[in-house]
Amino acid sequence: MIRFILISFFLSVTTLGFSNSNAGQKDTLLGRLTSEIKKSSEYDRIKEDRISTIKSKLATTRGSDEELLFALTDSLYNEYAAYSYDSAIVYARKLQELAIRFQNPTFLIRSKISFGHTLLSAGLYKEAYDTLAVIQIGQSAPAVKARYYALMARYYYDLAAYDYDPAFSVDYDKRGNRYIDSALIYFPVSSFEYNYYKGLKAFKKGDQEAARISFGKIIDRKDLTAHQLAIVASTLSGIYTQQNNMAQAKKLLIRAAIADIQASTKETSATLDLAKLLFHHGDDIKNAFTCVEKANKDAIFYGARQRKIQVGTLMPLIEAQKISNVEQQKNSLMIYGIVVTLLLILLIILAITVYRQINKLKAAKKIITSAHEHLQNTNIKLSEANSIKEKYIAFFFDFYSKFYNKIERFTVQVEEKARDRKIDEIKFLINNIHLKREKEALLLNFDKIFLSLFPGFVEGFNALLRPEEAIKLKEGELLNPDLRIFALIRMGIHDTDKIADILEYSVNTIYAYKAKIKNKAIVNKDEFEREVMQIKAI
């Protein structure tokens, strides 16, 4: 905030001398851009009206209409995606809430992709990766896969550009290319996206001519939206910049900037790149300042952290040049300009230092929080394990004590009958041994103790199954064979052979029971047992 105030103050002081330099526009394209910048608020009002219309439809939509609710919320997200980070992240979360509420896996994947896209646009690279990396895209529709792979490609391309370090950027670009290859499989060949990403891949691999031809084929298509035109023009300008054709690069960046303004796109780099080009290659300080000022307003409006940093590195340079121009016109401002410039440089150094320290503190806090949470989880698990051990040790001591007493009484009776040669009575005693009943009693006692430790196990287990597949216990049943198998797993017994021995089933039977249950689950089969382990004990 202090930095912003000083910059604003500095601009206001130097504008008087600056306004008389470079009078008039150097070309009509720049004149049109300046005119469009002044009309930005009008385009923004049109966008806000469109957003209000969608919100009104959403407010009158029935809560049971899943498809329409999700579609309208997704429309709002798309309106905000390149317009306002705060609003975009709100509707990205609402999409996730709707997906969870409707238990729709496709909605959930789409919402996570939108959430990751918003984080990436805001420059939250780690958070974006954490969100996108866990998405299981395998069974998704082609359009969803295409969007996901294209977004992952953008993540690595943006990371390469942000790092700007050969030690890492080259590898990031290669990773981005691999994701582009995957995306191209799923985009329709005639689509804008297919042709754009094909050209982008060629550009990133250093084949500038192939990239230029690809982009040249689509930039003049009549069906392009303003946002698509801005993307193509901006990327194509990068090719001409590398070829040192600055005149063509400038024209394309102006077209991109105008298209972004007309589309009310705030998460954009076109005006910033144009400011750099005008400053470094055009010696056009006035228009460079106009562009960087627009880029700064857009970055603040959207909330793009990386854009703010990029603007912050260019703006002082332009300001320094403005100071030089002012010095030539008004020598009386020389000392003041030098002092302000030095303060600005010191402030930038201080801001960088503070920024780094804040990042270190955040990283340390995150490590401490993570360690604390891990310790809490460990304590919970140890407490749970101790409780299980105590109850089941007591149970088995009691059970085997009673069983031993029964065997001892039986042995005494048999010995007495044998001594008296009462064979029939011995047979009677043997026939009255009910092993099956003893086993059932053992399992019943196991069920009782298990449910005393995990009273919400049955409800939690059914919550992992599709509603129509929920297990319904018979009268008098505490657990059935399906539940008993996963109860043993919840107690930490994952060895199928051990489970089979305990329940006196074959190993194949245990596998069959487990497969049958997992086929009814609403979660991924590979994640089912992990979700069972999350069912809480008392």
Side-chain angles (χ1 to χ4, degrees), residues 222-239:
K222 302 300 181 183
D223 60 341
L224 293 186
T225 65
H227 187 54
Q228 288 173 337
L229 174 61
I231 292 172
V232 179
S234 182
T235 310
L236 186 55
S237 74
I239 297 174

Side-chain angles (χ1 to χ4, degrees), residues 162-210:
Y162 183 79
D163 279 6
Y164 201 65
D165 186 339
F168 302 102
S169 296
V170 173
D171 181 58
Y172 289 149
D173 279 334
K174 287 180 179 178
R175 295 187 190 186
N177 289 339
R178 288 197 291 270
Y179 276 107
I180 284 291
D181 285 337
S182 298
L184 289 175
I185 295 172
Y186 298 103
F187 280 123
V189 176
S190 61
S191 68
F192 162 82
E193 290 80 6
Y194 179 90
N195 290 281
Y196 172 78
Y197 286 117
K198 184 179 179 181
L200 182 62
K201 178 188 172 185
F203 181 36
K204 292 295 183 179
K205 294 183 76 172
D207 192 348
Q208 296 178 357
E209 189 59 24

Side-chain angles (χ1 to χ4, degrees), residues 413-430:
Q413 289 175 333
V414 170
E415 287 177 351
E416 288 176 355
K417 303 299 181 184
R419 238 184 350 257
D420 297 337
R421 300 183 180 276
K422 298 178 179 179
I423 304 303
D424 291 337
E425 293 185 16
I426 291 174
K427 289 181 178 179
F428 177 79
L429 288 174
I430 292 171

